[in-house]
Amino acid sequence: MDIIFLSEVKVETHLGVPEWERLTAQTIILDIEIAMPHSSSCQTDEIDDTIDYGVVVSRIRQTLSERSFKLVEALAEHVCQLIMQEFGAPWVKIKVAKPGILPGLKALGVVIERRKSTNPT
């Protein structure tokens, strides 16, 4: 399996359990691994044969600027589903970190992994 990784992607979003915390955008950090649906780009050297990571990052930034989440878990699930549905990735792993949210804590967050289910016909 070929995997694209995006490390320490900084994104502005509205996130937090208390409503007041979601009033102002805050920076979160994403580490994302995306499985390629096929490996033909290794032979063709063509952007059309891969998942364009620039487009992925732009789409994530767009959707997270438009949405509000209470939990990092829900945000991570949203991003995973977006990547699988819109970009055809068969598997996604994402780490969402919310930095500096508590005193003496560098960051908190979650890591989730999702795989497209294959339905036998």
Side-chain angles (χ1 to χ4, degrees), residues 5 9 20 33 52-53 59 81-82 113 120-121:
F5 73 90
V9 179
W20 61 263
E33 295 180 22
D52 186 333
Y53 56 83
R59 183 66 180 101
Q81 294 304 318
L82 179 144
E113 215 176 298
T121 56

Side-chain angles (χ1 to χ4, degrees), residues 45-70:
D45 197 27
E46 295 293 332
I47 191 70
D48 291 338
D49 293 329
T50 189
I51 295 174
D52 186 333
Y53 56 83
V55 176
V56 172
V57 171
S58 292
R59 183 66 180 101
I60 291 169
R61 286 190 172 132
Q62 176 195 10
T63 190
L64 294 185
S65 72
E66 297 169 350
R67 300 267 322 249
S68 173
F69 299 90
K70 291 180 183 175

Side-chain angles (χ1 to χ4, degrees), residues 19-89:
E19 188 175 332
W20 61 263
E21 195 176 4
R22 293 188 309 276
L23 293 177
T24 305
Q26 55 190 285
T27 302
I28 61 167
I29 300 170
L30 308 175
D31 289 326
I32 307 167
E33 295 180 22
I34 306 168
M36 302 286 293
H38 48 74
S39 61
S40 60
S41 61
C42 295
Q43 289 78 38
T44 67
D45 197 27
E46 295 293 332
I47 191 70
D48 291 338
D49 293 329
T50 189
I51 295 174
D52 186 333
Y53 56 83
V55 176
V56 172
V57 171
S58 292
R59 183 66 180 101
I60 291 169
R61 286 190 172 132
Q62 176 195 10
T63 190
L64 294 185
S65 72
E66 297 169 350
R67 300 267 322 249
S68 173
F69 299 90
K70 291 180 183 175
L71 302 176
V72 291
E73 294 89 341
L75 184 148
E77 182 68 31
H78 175 76
V79 173
C80 280
Q81 294 304 318
L82 179 144
I83 293 169
M84 289 190 302
Q85 291 170 10
E86 294 187 18
F87 297 96

